[in-house]
Amino acid sequence: MVYHKAFRFRLYPTAAQITLIHKKFGCSRFVFNYFLTQWHTSYKGTGTGLSYYKCAASIPALKQDFNWLKEVDSIALQSAVRQLAEAFDRFFRKQNEAPRFKSRKNPVQSYTTRYTNDNIAIRDAELKLPKLGWVRFAKSRELAGRILSATVRRSATGKYFVSVVCEVDIAPLPKLNTAVGIDFGLKKFAVSSRGEQTDNPRHLRKQEKRLARWQRMLARRKPGGANWQRAKRKVAAIHEKIANSRHDFLHQLTTRWIRDNQTICLEDLQVSDMLQSGNLAKAISEASWSMCRVMLMYKAKWYDRTISVVAKDYPSSQLCSICNHRNPEVKRLSLREWDCPVCGTRHDRDQNASANIEREGLRLAGMTA
């Protein structure tokens, strides 16, 4: 099957290329904000907004009023308009809040360009981008498939990255007869019905003291000064390290689950509701269960695996995985082990929950344990 897959690399542009990249950031941001203003004006006057095609058709006239827009890639300007239209579509479907104006003060900036007439290409360790020419990049792996688009991004630490989206034909993995139930937790990140226990790496906690120290230094320094800028970059670098470590951990774990199992059964955790807990909100947010589930979903789609999601109200921890007796006392999180009063089996809370999740997940998928 053919899917869209992104390949992310770090860029090493020259000083002249950096200047042009910043111009593209600014022009894309200007076009986005300009048409967002036009959209609000149209909505207040007529009760309807603007379509993507109406905005895109206005770009040539806009270039006549602002000549500096001609210096950058025209496709990048069209992509900014498309991003605005897609943001409004998601807003009307109640998937996110209304689009907001972009600020030049945000250290994270990006622009997107699309492939046409070989304007994006790769040779050795260089990437060809519109208006930029050949840019040196860290080629950590080979690209596969047909190139569709490229997004250039500057991170909060001042590094430049490119995400190249390709149309890739991904072959499904060989079918297996194995299934696994996964119970997510805080002490253990995940416990599987096969007895595997994955420790919670707690990436944020490992960097918390360093992060707090540099945040205090940032707060004490005068905003805008050289020392303030240095502290700000240091705080951003620590956050970047935490995010990279978390992504690496989750990618390795989810890929292993996908390769080893045909069916993966998960609990439908309502993380947004669980974050309302003042005592556990930080630990729940750090665990990134939702990100793990997203990775499992798209990898399962790529490799022809099945993800079965158990309802959030299913009492996986309270049921005995042997005789199915329900013990309401297990609601207490402090109770880590318990004995079934009917069959006498002694259960580890998380191990028992994962076994129940597997059984219920297979039932919902129309399979047998």
Side-chain angles (χ1 to χ4, degrees), residues 104-159:
R104 64 179 179 85
K105 296 182 180 180
N106 191 332
V108 179
Q109 300 284 340
S110 67
Y111 76 87
T112 299
T113 186
R114 297 186 179 277
Y115 176 88
T116 177
N117 297 326
D118 294 325
N119 60 346
I120 303 174
I122 287 181
R123 68 178 184 194
D124 298 329
E126 289 183 315
L127 176 68
K128 180 184 176 184
L129 292 169
K131 295 284 188 177
L132 292 179
W134 293 98
V135 187
R136 191 166 62 91
F137 77 108
K139 191 177 182 181
S140 55
R141 56 178 172 167
E142 295 290 337
L143 256 70
R146 183 171 65 92
I147 297 176
L148 298 178
S149 66
T151 298
V152 177
R153 179 176 178 269
R154 184 189 68 195
S155 69
T157 56
K159 299 174 185 176

Side-chain angles (χ1 to χ4, degrees), residues 212-279:
R213 175 173 172 266
W214 280 101
Q215 284 176 330
R216 286 194 300 268
M217 295 171 68
L218 177 65
R220 287 196 298 264
R221 293 174 178 177
K222 183 178 179 181
N227 287 334
W228 181 85
Q229 293 287 355
R230 176 173 175 267
K232 185 178 180 182
R233 286 194 299 269
K234 191 65 178 179
V235 170
I238 297 173
H239 279 297
E240 185 177 76
K241 180 178 178 63
I242 294 170
N244 289 342
S245 299
R246 181 180 295 122
H247 275 82
D248 181 65
F249 165 75
L250 292 177
H251 272 300
Q252 291 191 42
L253 183 62
T254 53
T255 299
R256 179 157 50 84
W257 284 344
I258 289 293
R259 285 178 177 171
D260 295 345
N261 300 280
Q262 182 65 37
T263 304
I264 300 174
C265 306
L266 307 173
E267 193 173 9
D268 187 16
L269 297 175
Q270 300 298 301
V271 178
S272 57
D273 295 338
M274 297 170 70
L275 289 175
Q276 305 305 314
S277 170
N279 296 330

